Every structure is written in C-alpha cells, then in structure tokens.
Amino acid sequence: MSGLFSTLKVMGIVWGFLILLLLGVPVFFAMLGAGAFQLWQLDRTAFLAMQVNRIYSGISSFPIMAVPFFILAGEIMNTGSVTRALVDFSRAMLGHIRGGLAHVNIAASVLFAGLSGSAVADTSALGSMLIPAMEQNGYTRRFAAAVTAASSVIGPIIPPSGLMVLYAFVMNVDVAKMFLGGIVPGLLIAASLMTVAAVMAKKYDFPVANARMSWRARGQAGGRAFFPLLTPVILLGGILSGYFTPTEAAAVAVSYALLLNICVVAGRRLGWLDEDGFGVAEFWRILQRSAVQSGIVLLLVGVSSGFSQVVAITRMPEMLTELLLGITENRQIFLILICIFLFIVGMVLDAGPAILILGPILQPAAISYGVDPVHFAVLMCVNVTVGLATPPMGLVLFVAVSIARVRFGEIVRAITPFLLAEIAVVFLIALVPPITLGLPWLWENGATLFQASP
C-alpha cells in the first residue's frame, strides 16, 4: 500500500497533463505545464531553466531529421499517381475474389505503408479513391469507411515508419531492428483484416469487383507499381547494409519520391514538364503541409526531452516497476496489462504523444521484466497505432468520416469486428516475441550462419 501511495505522490506530472488535456490545452503546452508543475511540487524549480535547453537539444539532432523527410516523402507520394498504381495492382491481383474491393483496400494499405508510413495519409489517399469505388460496387459507405480506417493503421507499422523513428530516437533503440521487427506484425494485421473481410463477404454476399484478370494484365499492373514498390527495398537495403543512416534514408526517400512522380510513374504530370497534373503551386503546398506537420512533431519531440528528464527526477519508472512487481512477476501477465493500458490510452491520446510520454516510463519497467527492448518497442508502436482507429478519439476515424460523409456512430459499429481482430494480433505479438524478433535475429546472425554452413 505504501508503494502505491508513493507512486501516486510523484505522478503529479501525469495528473497535471491529463487535466490540462481535458481543459483543451494543446499537447505541447500540456506536457510543458505538467512538467513545470511536477518540478514545483518536488521543490526542484532550479531545473525549470534547463527546460528550454532540453527542448532545443531534443530537436537539434541529426537522427530526428528523418521525421520531416519521411513526412515530405509521404506527401509527395500521396499527391502523385503512385497511389493509383498501387490500387490498380491490388485490384488486378485480388479484385476477382468475393468482397474483392475490401481486400484491395487492405492490400493497398500494405503497399502504401512502404511508401508513406502514415495512417492519416493512407486514409486520405486510399479513402478518397476507394470509398466511392466501393459504394458504386454495392458496399455501404460506413463499411467502406471502416475498412479504410482499420487497414490504415498498417501504415506506421510496416517500414518506413516515422513513429518508430520517434521511439528509437527518444528511447535509444536500434531503428533498423525496429523496422525489421514491424514487418511481420504489419502483415499479420493485414491477414487478420482480410480474414474478417472474407467471413463478412461470405455472410453478406459481397460483390466481386471485377473478373479474374489475365496474367498479362496483372504483369502490366505490376510493372506500373514496380518502381513505387522498390521504395521500402531501397530504404531498408541501404540502412541494413550500412550504406546510409536512417536519416539519410529519409532524404533518399524524398529524392526517390520526386523521381517517381517526375519520370517514372507520373510521367509528365508535374507542372514543370506539362500543364496537366500538379505543378509548382501544388508542390509549394506540399512543402507547406509537410512543414506544418514536421513543426508539430518536432515541438513534441523537444518538449518530450524535458518531460523525460522530469520523469527521471521523480523516479517514476522505478516506482512503477516496484508496483507492477507487487502485482505480478510473470512477464506475460505484465505484457497483457501493458497492452490493456495502452488500448485505454489510445482511446484518448494520439500515437505520437503516447510514445513520447509513456515510452520513458514503461520501457524501463519492461526491461526489468526481461522483455527485449526491440520487442517492447514494436509492441508499443503497434498498440498505440491501433488506437488511431479506436473511438472516441481515433484520428483516422475522423478522417474516414469526413471522406465518407457518414455519422461517427455508424463507422464505430462497422469497424468493431476489424478492431477486435487487430487487438487479437496485438496480444499475439505480446505473447510470442519471435514475431517481432525473428527478422532482426536473422539479420544479425544470417551472415554468420551462412559463413558457418558447409
């Protein structure tokens, strides 16, 4: 009981943050104000003068430059004809299956994840294209919006992922291992969503999108999507081979996205070469949107640095660990409790702030239970990402609602089966570490095993 009282006593930073958030204070100022309140409560006001320096040093970092570059690459990919090429390829391969457009929606999210790494970009780009198409094909708008929102959470899981870059930077985890660790969980979520879609297609007799295409037509669609699909291969290959750092990989992603839109996929769509498509004015708007998004993320990263310092001063991670150990010493039960906690957090807090606020608190506790840092990092990123599609504050739900023009309650009811499938996958990831650690282990030991084989 004394351990619980001591833990609650130093959690003024958490209560202060939640109260400010409920009052409508922006997340940046809520984190800043909560940290200041906690330092005042602990009579450590001398540390307040250091917060400005902590914010600046948190932003002034080479690794964190990967975030604005990945945001810009996603915006460029989203604006050009890359999305159309991915949808056409998915349709060529899966459109003949009953409920084909639902499967196409999910598969396109998997492919799009390798380009943008953003759930919101996925919902916006694919939703504006596939929700009207699904309605014309006989689906209800609420179901089309639900499939789009549920599958969009794959975006930040399959690399490249700006969310994983944030976690790796804040918690000092190998981002290359996190990228590898996110591949199988992302594919498992896609498989679970396709399973739900297949069951519902059989139950409700969903329509077939198109006749089975010939392999020649599939090859042509694959050819148009080939160069966009090389994006994650180039980025992961360069990072894992040591040819460039994750930050340099993000810059390569921007250059490659521009190349695709100018020369390969969009052909003459850029205004610099032809009057059709988006030109210099639209490209300027892309830069503006990317700058605004990057500014928001970088401010949160900076303030999280000061927030982490306050958390360390309060010894909150150590006290939380002692509290949890008093409840259970079983690692699996601990992970289940963390998953449930993060699901609740995801209902009210966006993925980025959740990572920045809770990462410094929860990771030390996880390590004390013997959980691999990469395993916990991927688990936490997947968990809070699913929260993006969880009511009442799921961001992609609001984006899907605005595109589909349906009521929020309708999409909540329609997305429930898909959310249950995603939650089941999260628990599976928590209880079966090889799902996240298998590919990183192969990358580390593959060359050694190959050299040792006769």
Side-chain angles (χ1 to χ4, degrees):
M1 194 69 181
S2 60
L4 176 61
F5 178 77
S6 300
T7 302
L8 293 175
K9 185 178 179 180
V10 299
M11 287 185 67
I13 189 170
V14 176
W15 311 127
F17 173 76
L18 292 176
I19 291 171
L20 290 173
L21 208 61
L22 290 173
L23 291 174
V25 177
V27 174
F28 173 82
F29 295 105
M31 293 176 69
L32 199 63
F37 171 75
Q38 182 71 84
L39 290 174
W40 171 79
Q41 186 185 39
L42 297 175
D43 197 22
R44 300 286 188 90
T45 52
F47 284 92
L48 285 172
M50 299 173 57
Q51 293 301 298
V52 175
N53 290 332
R54 295 284 296 186
I55 293 173
Y56 175 77
S57 62
I59 299 174
S60 180
S61 170
F62 180 73
I64 204 61
M65 286 177 62
V67 173
F69 277 123
F70 277 131
I71 290 173
L72 177 57
E75 285 286 342
I76 296 171
M77 291 284 190
N78 187 13
T79 307
S81 60
V82 174
T83 306
R84 169 62 65 183
L86 298 180
V87 171
D88 290 345
F89 177 59
S90 302
R91 190 164 185 161
M93 302 302 295
L94 299 171
H96 62 281
I97 302 173
R98 184 156 300 283
L101 277 186
H103 293 292
V104 167
N105 199 323
I106 297 166
S109 291
V110 174
L111 301 179
F112 195 78
L115 306 182
S116 73
S118 167
V120 175
D122 184 303
T123 306
S124 176
L126 297 179
S128 59
M129 187 180 302
L130 286 174
I131 290 176
M134 291 180 71
E135 185 185 24
Q136 293 172 6
N137 203 233
Y139 297 86
T140 62
R141 274 188 170 267
R142 62 177 178 271
F143 178 81
V147 173
T148 303
S151 61
S152 68
V153 304
I154 301 171
I157 300 172
I158 294 179
S161 168
L163 190 64
M164 289 186 179
V165 172
L166 280 181
Y167 189 103
F169 172 74
V170 173
M171 299 307 302
N172 195 27
V173 180
D174 190 329
V175 69
K177 290 183 179 179
M178 286 188 66
F179 278 3
L180 286 174
I183 294 175
V184 175
L187 295 177
L188 280 177
I189 287 180
S192 70
L193 296 179
M194 285 186 170
T195 301
V196 173
V199 171
M200 297 182 72
K202 184 176 181 179
K203 181 178 180 180
Y204 298 108
D205 195 28
F206 287 164
V208 174
N210 49 259
R212 184 188 295 270
M213 293 188 180
S214 66
W215 284 107
R216 178 183 179 86
R218 293 179 179 180
Q220 291 174 343
R224 290 190 292 272
F226 176 75
F227 287 104
L229 293 178
L230 277 183
T231 305
V233 177
I234 293 172
L235 299 184
L236 271 179
I239 293 172
L240 298 178
S241 65
Y243 191 74
F244 40 68
T245 67
T247 304
E248 292 166 344
V252 169
V254 173
S255 302
Y256 191 65
L258 285 171
L259 181 65
L260 286 177
N261 278 282
I262 295 172
C263 303
V264 182
V265 179
R268 293 171 59 85
R269 281 180 56 82
L270 275 178
W272 303 319
L273 302 176
D274 192 273
E275 65 273 17
D276 295 328
F278 69 86
V280 175
E282 178 60 25
F283 186 68
W284 176 246
R285 286 192 289 271
I286 290 174
L287 293 177
Q288 288 178 317
R289 290 196 299 269
S290 301
V292 171
Q293 293 180 47
S294 300
I296 294 171
V297 173
L298 291 177
L299 281 175
L300 288 175
V301 170
V303 76
S304 73
S305 179
F307 195 88
S308 301
Q309 183 190 46
V310 178
V311 167
I313 291 172
T314 62
R315 295 187 67 252
M316 192 185 304
E318 293 86 347
M319 300 185 73
L320 178 63
T321 300
E322 294 173 5
L323 177 63
L324 290 170
L325 286 172
I327 299 173
T328 179
E329 295 183 1
N330 185 284
R331 180 170 59 187
Q332 282 71 30
I333 295 178
F334 163 77
L335 289 173
I336 291 173
L337 292 174
I338 290 298
C339 287
I340 295 172
F341 171 69
L342 290 176
F343 284 136
I344 297 172
V345 169
M347 292 180 181
V348 295
L349 198 60
D350 199 7
I355 288 291
L356 296 172
I357 294 166
L358 298 176
I361 299 173
L362 297 180
Q363 180 171 286
I367 293 174
S368 70
Y369 275 86
V371 180
D372 187 279
V374 174
H375 177 212
F376 185 77
V378 175
L379 173 63
M380 188 170 180
C381 287
V382 173
N383 208 315
V384 298
T385 299
V386 171
L388 292 172
T390 305
M393 299 296 292
L395 181 59
V396 298
L397 290 181
F398 292 105
V399 177
V401 163
S402 66
I403 295 173
R405 297 190 299 278
V406 296
R407 290 194 298 270
F408 188 78
E410 291 179 328
I411 191 175
V412 168
R413 289 192 295 272
I415 203 174
T416 298
F418 297 103
L419 280 179
L420 292 175
E422 291 177 338
I423 290 171
V425 172
V426 171
F427 282 119
L428 184 64
I429 294 169
L431 299 176
V432 186
I435 292 175
T436 56
L437 300 179
L439 287 180
W441 184 88
L442 286 175
W443 170 54
E444 279 193 322
N445 299 280
T448 305
L449 292 174
F450 180 78
Q451 293 172 359
S453 61

